[in-house]
């Protein structure tokens, strides 16, 4: 990476071979591989600003305030019926790097069975063995190349140099409960307590922009346009031939001679599709949008992991400065015996991470730390819906958290495991008492605590799923059904949510999409 990173100013041409919309985890790999491996010209359009040289972005410990900053789209989930009709914010990155520029810096790809489930759901050819080479291609893993890990790739991946005491306690306490302690969650299994993998290098965030874009900024075939909102796709005779986007306050049209690649994320990719007449014909008609392609799956199948924020404990000793991303380790285990893979997840927080209803109910004054926990194998499914034909208009984003009874049951089980974890000798010198909850709860109160603490892991996906059924929006090569020259390479194509943060799988999707584009050129 150059010492001083800048985006070269270039005139906007009338046409490029490829146009990529969105500079996040799925878009950046596509751009990099097209520039490195072909002679194509590429235009990358990003609605946000560059976000280069911003202390809050660069500092791993300062990621939380990036939500609701100018680098966040500012979306909210609609009132959640099973979470007391609370409005839950859903941060989405708005800068080069997309959400990898504002997320918790986690590099985590879940369990091999997650990807076998994609194949079984109709995304044929996406088993773990199919996608493992693309995961490895992404990585520059501090431990070097192994059967499961890659080295020399664009994304730096490291672990904590010195675990914070509350992070170390999670690993030690898990061992005392009989939960495995493992070296690497991105190996043959993710079950157990383990140091987290971070996109951090030399103490700074290493986003998709750092890894994939910054080394090629001066390539003459690449044009990067920031601050440009894409408002529509240009479809002619069943083919996407370009895009409409805003440049300096006016709408322009730019053509793509090969393909347009949508990588705007699980919210803005389906929105752009619907704005362009691609979606559920009935819904488009209600908004007065002419139908170009009736694809009822656009906006359906919204999935996200419910996160319960959080158990809060009074610290028995000063916590000191934040280290890593404010966490450092994580824990994956089974909510009940007999499951094929771990389904629940927990992590430490070097501070107070409780949701507002819990902050209002409990006294959390003084120095505290938290244990967040959530469900990574969630079954509840929601939807997204446009409420206006305005490209900047309101959306209804409904994840339907806790709608499936099995999701709530798993979280109740996880609650009790976290209580047991905090009671192990590993935490004896760290906990001076409980703040939230401040006493043992009965089963009804546990459910109430979960509903009050329900939040998001920031993992929306599935809204333009790939597959082969009538609700599939793309085929397994990520081509939009019924429209030539249009492909999707972001979290919206995920058919079944994996048991992990979505940055890693979406980066893998982008890497694989680049191969598809090159093969189909």
């Amino acid at each position: 990476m150059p010492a001083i990173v800048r985006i070269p100013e270039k005139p906007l041409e009338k046409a490029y071979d490829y146009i990529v919309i969105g500079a996040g985890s799925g878009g950046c790999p596509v751009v990099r591989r097209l520039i490195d491996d072909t002679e194509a010209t590429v235009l990358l359009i990003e609605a946000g600003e560059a976000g280069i040289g911003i202390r809050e972005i660069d500092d791993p410990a300062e990621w939380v305030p990036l939500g609701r900053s100018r680098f966040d789209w500012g979306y909210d989930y609609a009132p959640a019926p099973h979470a007391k009709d609370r409005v839950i914010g859903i941060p989405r990155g708005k800068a080069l790097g997309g959400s990898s520029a504002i997320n918790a810096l986690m590099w985590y790809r879940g369990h091999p069975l997650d990807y076998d489930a994609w194949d079984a759901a109709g995304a044929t050819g996406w088993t773990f063995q199919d996608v493992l080479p693309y995961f490895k291609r992404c990585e520059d893993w501090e431990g070097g190349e192994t059967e499961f890990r890659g080295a020399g790739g664009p994304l730096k991946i490291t672990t904590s140099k010195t675990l914070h005491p509350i992070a170390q306690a999670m690993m030690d306490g898990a061992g005392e409960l009989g939960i495995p302690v493992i070296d690497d969650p991105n190996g043959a299994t993710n079950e157990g307590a383990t140091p987290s993998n971070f996109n951090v290098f030399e103490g700074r965030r290493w986003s998709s922009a750092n890894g994939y874009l910054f080394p090629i900024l001066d390539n003459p075939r690449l044009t990067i346009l920031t601050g440009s909102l894409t408002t529509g796709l240009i479809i002619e005779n069943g083919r996407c031939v370009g895009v409409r986007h805003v440049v300096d306050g006016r709408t322009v049209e730019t053509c793509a001679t090969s393909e347009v690649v949508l990588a705007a994320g699980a919210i803005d990719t389906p929105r752009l599709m619907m704005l362009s007449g691609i979606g559920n014909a009935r819904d488009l008609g209600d908004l007065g949008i002419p139908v170009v392609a009736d694809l009822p799956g656009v906006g359906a199948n919204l999935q996200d992991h419910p996160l319960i924020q959080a158990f809060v404990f009074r610290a028995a000793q000063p916590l000191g400065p934040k280290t890593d991303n404010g966490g450092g380790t994580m824990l994956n285990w089974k909510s009940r015996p007999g499951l094929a893979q771990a389904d629940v997840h927990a992590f430490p927080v070097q501070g107070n991470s409780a949701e507002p209803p819990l902050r209002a109910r409990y006294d959390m004054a003084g120095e505290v730390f938290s244990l967040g926990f959530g469900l990574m194998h969630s079954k509840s499914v929601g939807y997204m819906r446009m409420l206006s034909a305005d490209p900047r208009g309101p959306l209804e984003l409904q994840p339907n958290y806790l709608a499936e009874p099995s999701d709530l049951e798993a979280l109740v089980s996880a609650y009790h495991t976290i209580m047991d974890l905090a009671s192990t000798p590993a935490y004896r010198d760290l906990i001076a008492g409980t703040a939230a909850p401040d006493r043992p709860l009965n089963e009804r109160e546990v459910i109430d605590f979960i509903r009050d603490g329900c939040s998001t892991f920031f993992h929306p996906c599935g809204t333009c799923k790939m597959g082969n059924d009538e609700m599939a929006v793309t085929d397994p090569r990520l081509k939009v059904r019924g429209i030539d020259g249009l492909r999707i390479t972001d979290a919206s194509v995920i058919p079944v949510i994996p048991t992990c943060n979505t940055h890693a799988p979406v980066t893998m999707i982008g890497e694989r999409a680049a191969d598809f584009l090159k093969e189909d050129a």
Side-chain angles (χ1 to χ4, degrees):
M1 186 178 73
I4 299 175
V5 177
R6 63 174 185 82
I7 302 173
E9 292 188 15
K10 298 179 181 178
L12 183 64
E13 304 293 340
K14 292 187 179 298
Y16 298 82
D17 294 323
Y18 296 92
I19 297 176
V20 179
I21 301 170
S25 304
C28 289
V30 170
V31 172
R32 177 64 177 272
R33 301 311 179 188
L34 288 174
I35 292 297
D36 282 355
D37 302 339
T38 77
E39 294 301 315
T41 57
V42 180
L43 171 64
L44 174 60
I45 302 175
E46 167 57 44
E49 59 187 273
I52 296 172
I54 305 298
R55 182 186 62 82
E56 298 92 327
I57 290 178
D58 292 340
D59 186 346
E62 294 300 317
W63 68 270
V64 174
L66 291 168
R68 291 300 189 259
S69 74
R70 72 181 195 268
F71 303 108
D72 172 25
W73 283 91
Y75 292 126
D76 289 316
Y77 281 140
H82 301 279
K84 297 191 174 180
D85 286 319
R86 292 170 41 240
V87 173
I88 297 169
I90 176 62
R92 297 286 82 204
K94 192 178 183 184
L96 292 182
S99 292
S100 77
I102 73 166
N103 67 7
L105 304 100
M106 298 285 289
W107 181 262
Y108 177 38
R109 62 192 187 207
H111 193 281
L113 290 175
D114 294 338
Y115 305 95
D116 295 347
W118 291 12
D119 184 83
T124 51
W126 288 80
T127 68
F128 182 68
Q129 288 305 312
D130 292 318
V131 303
L132 179 58
Y134 296 95
F135 275 123
K136 293 179 69 173
R137 184 190 291 180
C138 305
E139 297 184 335
D140 191 10
W141 167 233
E142 67 176 10
E145 185 172 6
T146 70
E147 178 185 358
F148 290 97
R149 304 307 302 266
L155 292 184
K156 304 287 187 181
I157 304 167
T158 59
T159 55
S160 177
K161 303 307 179 200
T162 305
L163 286 175
H164 191 281
I166 66 167
Q168 184 65 54
M170 173 166 278
M171 293 185 63
D172 295 342
E176 292 164 9
L177 292 181
I179 297 173
V181 176
I182 59 176
D183 292 333
D184 184 7
N186 293 312
T189 179
N190 63 344
E191 185 174 357
T194 180
S196 298
N197 283 198
F198 296 122
N199 290 126
V200 173
F201 183 63
E202 297 181 344
R204 296 163 69 88
R205 178 189 294 272
W206 193 264
S207 73
S208 298
N210 291 81
Y212 283 96
L213 293 185
F214 291 173
I216 58 170
L217 289 180
D218 291 327
N219 190 289
R221 291 180 287 106
L222 173 63
T223 300
I224 297 177
L225 185 62
T226 59
S228 180
L229 178 69
T230 303
T231 59
L233 306 171
I234 303 170
I235 312 294
E236 294 180 357
N237 300 318
R239 182 176 184 85
C240 184
V241 298
V243 303
R244 296 183 185 87
H245 55 120
V246 179
V247 179
D248 296 328
R250 65 186 185 91
T251 298
V252 302
E253 295 187 354
T254 304
C255 296
T257 57
S258 292
E259 289 199 39
V260 171
V261 177
L262 290 181
I267 296 173
D268 282 291
T269 282
R271 182 210 283 262
L272 188 53
M273 298 265 283
M274 289 186 272
L275 286 168
S276 308
I278 306 169
N280 187 305
R282 183 185 65 253
D283 293 343
L284 295 175
D286 290 343
L287 295 172
I289 299 174
V291 177
V292 172
D294 182 9
L295 290 180
V298 176
N301 195 47
L302 173 62
Q303 300 165 68
D304 193 1
H305 296 130
L307 166 63
I308 311 306
Q309 293 273 57
F311 284 97
V312 182
F313 302 93
R314 302 197 185 284
Q317 54 184 266
L319 294 176
K322 285 182 187 174
T323 63
D324 303 313
N325 68 341
T329 51
M330 64 178 179
L331 177 62
N332 306 295
W333 75 103
K334 295 172 181 175
S335 63
R336 56 185 173 84
L339 293 176
Q341 63 186 104
D343 63 329
V344 282
H345 174 94
F347 56 90
V349 178
Q350 300 161 30
N352 186 353
S353 65
E355 281 291 286
L358 298 181
R359 291 176 188 254
R361 181 183 303 176
Y362 297 107
D363 175 13
M364 303 183 197
E367 192 156 26
V368 299
F369 69 89
S370 308
L371 295 177
F373 67 100
L375 181 61
M376 285 290 193
H377 218 196
S378 48
K379 300 295 191 292
S380 299
V381 176
Y383 59 87
M384 71 149 288
R385 183 177 297 142
M386 287 203 319
L387 302 178
S388 161
D390 184 336
R392 300 173 180 82
L395 302 172
E396 182 180 358
L397 305 169
Q398 179 53 266
N400 277 334
Y401 282 140
L402 312 182
E404 289 291 333
S406 62
D407 286 1
L408 183 59
E409 291 166 7
L411 288 167
V412 169
S413 172
Y415 172 98
H416 292 296
T417 300
I418 296 298
M419 289 296 286
D420 292 341
L421 179 72
S423 299
T424 61
Y427 285 93
R428 184 177 296 138
D429 295 332
L430 299 174
I431 295 177
T434 57
D438 56 9
R439 59 180 175 78
L441 303 181
N442 61 37
E443 287 302 292
R444 181 187 60 79
E445 291 170 328
V446 168
I447 291 173
D448 199 49
F449 184 93
I450 288 169
R451 296 193 195 282
D452 275 335
C454 187
S455 181
T456 172
F457 272 102
F458 321 141
H459 301 159
C461 63
T463 47
C464 292
K465 75 167 187 172
M466 60 174 156
N468 52 26
D469 61 54
E470 64 179 14
M471 295 300 287
V473 176
T474 80
D475 67 16
R477 291 181 69 85
L478 307 175
K479 293 180 177 180
V480 174
R481 293 170 60 207
I483 302 289
D484 292 332
L486 183 62
R487 217 175 291 242
I488 303 177
T489 68
D490 59 33
S492 64
V493 303
I494 292 175
V496 181
I497 192 167
T499 57
C500 58
N501 306 70
T502 46
H503 171 50
V506 172
T507 308
M508 173 273 291
I509 289 168
E511 285 278 10
R512 196 162 193 208
D515 273 8
F516 292 154
L517 287 162
K518 290 180 289 182
E519 291 164 4
D520 292 345

